[in-house]
Amino acid sequence: MSVLSIEDLCVTYSTSTGDLRALRNVTLDVPRERIVGLVGESGCGKSTLINAILGLLAANGRIDHGRILFQGRNIAELSADELRAMRGPGIATVFQDPMGALNPVFRIGRQMINIQYRSKLSRAEKANRAAETLRSVRIPDAEAALKRYPHEFSGGMKQRIAIAMALMMKPAILIADEPTTALDATLEVATIELLQELQRDIGCSMLFISHHMGVIAELCDDVVVMYAGEVVESGTTRQVFLQPRHPYTRNLIRCDPARQHTRVRQLPTIPGDLPNLRSRPRGCIFAPRCEMRKEICEEPPPQDVSNGHMARCHLAVEH
Amino acid sequence: MLYYTLNRLALALVIVSVVMLLLFSMIYLIPGDPAAVALGPRATEAMREALRVKIGLDQPIWVQFWNFFTSAWTGDLGREVLSDRPVAAVVLEQLPFTMALIFSGVGWSVALGIPLGCWAAVKRNSLADHIVGVISVAVIAVPSFVVAIYALLLFAVTLRWLPAIGAGESGNFFDQLVHLILPSLAVGIGWVGYIARMVRASMLESMGAQHVRTARAFGLPESRIVYQYALKIAILPTITLLGVGIGQMLSSAVFAEIVFARPGVGKLVYDAILTRNYPLVTGTVLVTTVLFVLINLLADLIVGMLDPRVRSGL
């Protein structure tokens, strides 16, 4: 059974200028002890997806179709207390911005002890556990670090503290929302390795969200590609990277700066802009930017699956 | 924290010194001869000259300022004209009444303003939020002397629940407390509105911060997130605002003390102005200024204690 499975999820925000359909028919699966990568450019609905999973959608957002199952239970049917019990020990999250993720006016130790509020341990034991976890993410002098405030750490250290906090929960699944975007390249590699190592130690599943293709290829077992609130392609990392079926995925891989071997004046991009989510086209969402566009693309695309490799495209390449 | 404290303290000393300079220039620039004013119309020129020499008006201006400056720092604010008592003693005698009034006013504004602001922020855009908003703006808009007069009419004259005038029997704490209710409400009610607005705005800001999302993602109870994680940050600008607010409450205290016929620094300075008792006016202004600077110093130190980023000068 999957730890987390999302079935045909549609999320809509009601705004003063009309309904904004942020997610449409999103289906994805995070199996036990696997790392699933979620790729997509800014505005593709990644944050909405995380908030929906955590039950933290903004007041004007609603799930109007589909289900989110965490360990087989539909989170829409959980009470507020059950949801709160799930956040942390069930699903732990590392957010994108390490600078803002910690409360600036409380010591690290206090914050790490506070999140253990469910545990029956004494305060001193909780502090010990916090220090131990900090050591496991290689924070030097962990006991002293507990007495310091967030602003006394660098960005990379803060991100490791945020990771430590998430792992201290020993979650069933870790959601990492672009955990390396705010870090420089050296720290990025170190952070990825750390996440990989800790995921193996704890044996949790992970949903890793990034727009960095190289990192996804390195870290993940499966990949889900999102575009404008829809899953356009999903499969194993091998399938998606070696034999991409959707034109958008092929474009993303083509545009990865790491793949440029010769000096170019301008890095490749996908021409055009994200569609307006208030008035979605009836047909394929990517069609206006697609170089393979045909007449049939005006019709809603099928979800074409072969060997567990899904592509939502009329012209999906067969391999 | 030590560096931060010393820094604030030095700043406070500089501010007090500048105020002294301004105050001295004001006295110097007031038209008319202080000696003539002090002695009245029937004094002879010889008497005036003698007084001028006695209080140092024959000295060059910088010597006069230096004398004023040094004696003020040592607590000597001169003698008042009517009873010839030391100004410092007269002011200090009245100061506790005003302090009690101001701090009760702060008490009202904090005890009502902070919970109302939090409540409005948590129930954002609900009916409760709008009602708190309207009430806040209303109490900010009404001048404190109007509140004082109507509160007096309603609670003391019509309903006869509370005493109308005076500070209460000396030594009887309960009686003094009862006498404090209406004047302090008049002084503090506007600030209930200011603080509720301020707390609401900064609570909304800190509730929307990333770290609040983190706290929620760890399943922390909402009450702890609101009243611990978000409030500790939201309260910081309110403390600074209160420091400034106490300055304004000092001036509302003048009205409150006159309307309720309470003793206090406000009443003292009002009477001193009416009787042209200039040494008493300057002495009172100087003492209240020092008080205001000290309170702001305290507000800065409290913010420094609560916010580690301020301490380390970020």
Side-chain angles (χ1 to χ4, degrees):
Chain A
M1 187 184 67
S2 294
V3 178
L4 179 72
S5 65
I6 295 170
E7 297 171 357
D8 215 22
L9 183 73
C10 298
V11 172
T12 303
Y13 291 110
S14 34
T15 67
S16 52
T17 50
D19 278 2
L20 192 149
R21 303 190 60 183
L23 295 180
R24 201 160 79 159
N25 309 105
V26 169
T27 296
L28 70 84
D29 225 42
V30 186
R32 196 175 292 275
E33 289 181 43
R34 274 174 91 85
I35 304 183
V36 176
L38 182 65
V39 201
E41 48 192 312
S42 308
C44 74
K46 291 174 292 189
S47 303
T48 299
L49 184 64
I50 296 174
N51 287 337
I53 294 170
L54 293 172
L56 289 176
L57 275 178
N60 63 341
R62 58 170 195 272
I63 294 177
D64 40 27
H65 186 71
R67 308 190 294 172
I68 301 170
L69 299 175
F70 171 67
Q71 295 178 327
R73 297 169 75 196
N74 185 351
I75 69 141
E77 285 159 11
L78 297 182
S79 71
D81 283 341
E82 286 171 319
L83 264 179
R84 211 154 53 68
M86 175 193 82
R87 291 180 211 131
I91 305 178
T93 318
V94 176
F95 288 105
Q96 177 174 357
D97 173 24
M99 305 300 161
L102 298 166
N103 190 308
V105 297
F106 290 103
R107 293 175 204 276
I108 298 294
R110 172 91 173 267
Q111 298 189 48
M112 292 188 77
I113 289 167
N114 277 352
I115 59 170
Q116 301 178 61
Y117 74 97
R118 300 173 178 97
S119 146
K120 296 270 181 290
L121 295 176
S122 74
R123 227 185 138 75
E125 286 166 325
K126 287 178 186 172
N128 279 337
R129 246 196 98 205
E132 220 170 274
T133 322
L134 285 184
R135 269 192 292 275
S136 75
V137 297
R138 295 180 210 114
I139 296 285
D141 204 359
E143 272 80 16
L146 290 179
K147 294 199 177 66
R148 286 159 70 190
Y149 289 95
H151 74 271
E152 298 174 80
F153 294 92
S154 67
M157 296 259 265
K158 265 188 270 201
Q159 193 58 297
R160 273 183 280 161
I161 292 168
I163 292 171
M165 286 171 77
L167 292 166
M168 204 165 57
M169 297 284 102
K170 300 232 187 306
I173 178 169
L174 177 69
I175 297 179
D177 178 12
E178 307 205 21
T180 60
T181 305
L183 307 178
D184 63 50
T186 334
L187 280 172
E188 178 162 30
V189 175
T191 308
I192 301 291
E193 283 170 357
L194 181 68
L195 278 172
Q196 207 162 15
E197 190 185 309
L198 294 167
Q199 183 263 341
R200 246 179 278 135
D201 290 351
I202 293 182
C204 63
S205 310
M206 179 150 57
L207 180 63
F208 186 88
I209 297 160
S210 180
H211 53 244
H212 193 321
M213 301 297 281
V215 170
I216 296 269
E218 181 84 17
L219 182 69
C220 301
D221 303 307
D222 301 313
V223 179
V224 174
V225 182
M226 274 180 80
Y227 177 75
E230 290 181 20
V231 173
V232 293
E233 177 157 2
S234 65
T236 64
T237 306
R238 231 164 205 295
Q239 287 171 329
V240 172
F241 276 86
L242 297 179
Q243 302 171 327
R245 299 182 65 201
H246 196 284
Y248 178 64
T249 315
R250 281 202 299 280
N251 268 297
L252 271 186
I253 296 170
R254 178 178 63 85
C255 294
D256 184 0
R259 290 174 69 90
Q260 309 303 318
H261 298 296
T262 51
R263 251 179 114 87
V264 284
R265 218 161 230 298
Q266 213 172 10
L267 290 169
T269 54
I270 307 173
D273 292 309
L274 279 172
N276 183 353
L277 296 181
R278 285 191 178 79
S279 52
R280 284 174 171 274
R282 208 177 84 80
C284 171
I285 188 87
F286 186 61
R289 295 172 79 182
C290 184
E291 73 275 7
M292 294 170 62
R293 182 177 55 241
K294 298 217 170 82
E295 220 160 274
I296 191 169
C297 299
E298 303 291 319
E299 298 299 314
Q303 295 203 15
D304 188 86
V305 185
S306 74
N307 285 332
H309 187 177
M310 188 282 281
R312 189 183 295 207
C313 180
H314 290 288
L315 311 165
V317 180
E318 294 296 333
H319 289 286
Chain B
M1 189 73 196
L2 183 70
Y3 174 78
Y4 175 76
T5 310
L6 291 177
N7 189 326
R8 293 286 123 176
L9 203 60
L11 194 64
L13 290 179
V14 171
I15 293 171
V16 172
S17 304
V18 170
V19 169
M20 283 182 176
L21 182 61
L22 286 175
L23 211 51
F24 176 78
S25 328
M26 254 153 53
I27 311 164
Y28 194 80
L29 291 173
I30 289 173
D33 179 1
V37 174
L39 292 172
R42 279 179 294 175
T44 61
E45 181 55 38
M47 284 164 77
R48 287 188 205 125
E49 188 56 42
L51 184 66
R52 275 187 213 117
V53 174
K54 187 184 162 206
I55 60 179
L57 290 178
D58 57 335
Q59 305 278 329
I61 179 163
W62 64 86
V63 177
Q64 283 186 48
F65 175 67
W66 183 248
N67 288 340
F68 172 77
F69 190 77
T70 47
S71 54
W73 276 119
T74 54
D76 175 10
L77 301 174
R79 285 173 175 276
E80 66 133 325
V81 176
L82 294 179
S83 65
D84 201 37
R85 291 176 60 208
V87 169
V90 176
V91 176
L92 287 181
E93 199 177 271
Q94 302 293 320
L95 199 58
F97 294 102
T98 304
M99 298 277 276
L101 181 60
I102 301 288
F103 284 112
S104 322
V106 173
W108 283 111
S109 58
V110 168
L112 295 175
I114 291 179
L116 280 176
C118 285
W119 191 47
V122 172
K123 307 253 173 223
R124 181 185 195 176
N125 290 337
S126 67
L127 184 65
D129 180 20
H130 292 307
I131 292 174
V132 171
V134 169
I135 293 176
S136 303
V137 175
V139 296
I140 292 169
V142 180
S144 63
F145 64 89
V146 175
V147 178
I149 290 167
Y150 279 98
L152 186 73
L153 278 175
L154 180 64
F155 292 106
V157 179
T158 311
L159 296 172
R160 293 175 177 279
W161 288 351
L162 294 164
I165 55 167
E169 193 187 318
S170 76
N172 183 343
F173 179 73
F174 180 74
D175 192 42
Q176 290 182 341
L177 212 57
V178 170
H179 278 82
L180 206 52
I181 295 175
L182 284 182
S184 62
L185 195 63
V187 166
I189 188 103
W191 283 86
V192 174
Y194 279 118
I195 294 206
R197 297 309 287 167
M198 188 77 183
V199 168
R200 179 186 180 272
S202 28
M203 273 304 270
L204 285 180
E205 197 190 321
S206 66
M207 291 292 291
Q210 285 286 326
H211 57 81
V212 166
R213 192 162 85 130
T214 310
R216 288 210 175 107
F218 279 110
L220 284 177
E222 193 64 18
S223 60
R224 179 176 246 170
I225 294 175
V226 174
Y227 295 107
Q228 214 178 327
Y229 277 43
L231 186 59
K232 191 173 173 190
I233 296 172
I235 206 79
L236 299 171
T238 308
I239 294 171
T240 310
L241 179 74
L242 256 182
V244 181
I246 286 174
Q248 216 213 310
M249 285 190 221
L250 276 167
S251 60
S252 338
V254 178
F255 294 112
E257 284 169 358
I258 294 164
V259 171
F260 293 99
R262 276 177 64 84
V265 174
K267 183 84 166 41
L268 186 70
V269 79
Y270 173 75
D271 292 339
I273 292 169
L274 288 186
T275 54
R276 293 177 191 278
N277 199 338
Y278 289 129
L280 193 54
V281 175
T282 52
T284 315
V285 171
L286 192 58
V287 169
T288 46
T289 308
V290 171
L291 190 68
F292 178 63
V293 171
L294 282 180
I295 284 166
N296 276 280
L297 177 69
L298 187 70
D300 281 353
L301 292 182
I302 292 173
V303 169
M305 255 164 55
L306 293 177
D307 190 345
R309 294 165 300 177
V310 170
R311 283 206 290 277
S312 47
L314 283 177

